[in-house]
Amino acid sequence: MLAFDLQRFAGEKTERATPQRRREARREGQVARSAELTSALTMLTGVILLRMTGPKFWDTWMNAMTKSFSSAGSVDLAKQGQVLGLMHQNLRLMFGLLGPLFGAVMVVGAATGFAQTGPMFLPNLLLPKFSRLNPIEGFKRIFSVRGLVEAGKSLLKLVIVGVVVYAATQGVIDKVVMLTQTQVQTLPAFVGQIVFKLAIEIGILFVLLAFLDYLFQRFEFEKSIRMSREEIKQEHRNQEGDPLIRSQLRQRGRALAMRRMMQDVPKADVVVTNPTHFAVALRYDASTMTAPQVIAKGQDEMARRIRETARQAGVPLMENKPLAQALYREVEIGTEVPAELFRAVAEVLAAVYRLRDGRVRR
């Protein structure tokens, strides 16, 4: 039995996308990207930076609040300038403390997005698309495979957070009981330590999950831009043009080159023949050329046309089978004769010049 690849006939999209298809998808905003990876890395970065700068931030803020409350009695509430000055001072302090933190988080988020997609500027995606307001399409997206995957990821996140919180509280529950016998001043540091430990562990787990999500998004993206073999063939046809048109253009180009070549035959000094299979027209001008030049050549029918044109123009024909074959095979039209053929060509030209001089004397 003969085995047939049915996918060839069914138009199944089984082939990897071509570079042209990838560029088109990119122009439409279709790239492999995981929003989960960006949010997870920015969250983990923020938690780590806050853990590193938290004590300094807390001390600075508490000192500022203490100073503000201690001087509150000297502030005249009737004077708007004093109240606004105090507010501006506290706001500048807050922005000075939180600004670098927010800046670092934004840089990490931007770098993560850039690493996934590369440079992208697609202003057309900012335009509203009313097709997105279609409720039927919205339900299809919610209950599609992708929607189920997103719901599964959200549920998995909740489970992970619950497990991590439960494990962490089990490890410190004895210390929490002992806090009833400690001073109040130790509570913020203890609670902050537990919270940051939980946040970092959860952040690391979220980053791992987000990386898996990125791999899944790449798989889905590659799957979505696959092409059928017919689409690839059509793309090649569009890029290279219709084969029939290309063939016609090549034929026209050859015909034009042949006409130009035949127009140069009357300018030749001699036509070297095989005598019937090959014909090569040579021209030499000592004032402009360093060596004789092939201005026309042909085989069989084209050789016959060159000979006829030469006879009509009065160009002498010289039979030299080895030289005619060598010139036809080794020298292109418009190029000079190579050094190894100088001697044979010189003998032919010398014979032509002697013949021409003899006719002139008569």
Side-chain angles (χ1 to χ4, degrees), residues 3-21:
F4 291 95
D5 186 358
L6 297 180
Q7 292 178 342
R8 290 177 177 267
F9 304 97
E12 292 288 339
K13 298 186 177 184
T14 58
E15 308 301 314
R16 287 177 58 86
T18 61
Q20 175 65 22
R21 176 69 181 93

Side-chain angles (χ1 to χ4, degrees), residues 102-113:
F102 289 154
V105 169
M106 291 176 62
V107 168
V108 171
T112 305

Side-chain angles (χ1 to χ4, degrees), residues 25-38:
R26 187 177 182 83
R27 284 195 294 266
E28 297 171 0
Q30 299 179 20
V31 292
R33 176 180 53 205
S34 173
E36 302 287 340
L37 184 59
T38 303

Side-chain angles (χ1 to χ4, degrees), residues 135-153:
I136 298 178
E137 295 297 327
F139 280 116
K140 288 182 179 179
R141 286 194 296 269
I142 293 174
F143 295 103
S144 64
V145 175
R146 181 175 292 274
L148 295 177
V149 171
E150 295 297 329
K153 288 192 298 184

Side-chain angles (χ1 to χ4, degrees), residues 211-228:
F211 181 73
L212 295 177
D213 177 66
Y214 174 69
L215 296 179
F216 173 75
Q217 297 296 339
R218 283 190 64 86
F219 171 77
E220 286 292 307
F221 171 71
E222 293 293 334
K223 183 179 178 181
S224 66
I225 63 173
R226 283 179 185 171
M227 304 174 66
S228 65

Side-chain angles (χ1 to χ4, degrees), residues 328-349:
Y328 180 83
R329 295 192 178 108
E330 299 178 16
V331 187
E332 296 297 327
I333 297 174
T335 59
E336 294 180 346
V337 173
E340 57 268 20
L341 298 177
F342 275 178
R343 184 180 181 84
V345 171
E347 292 176 353
V348 170
L349 288 175

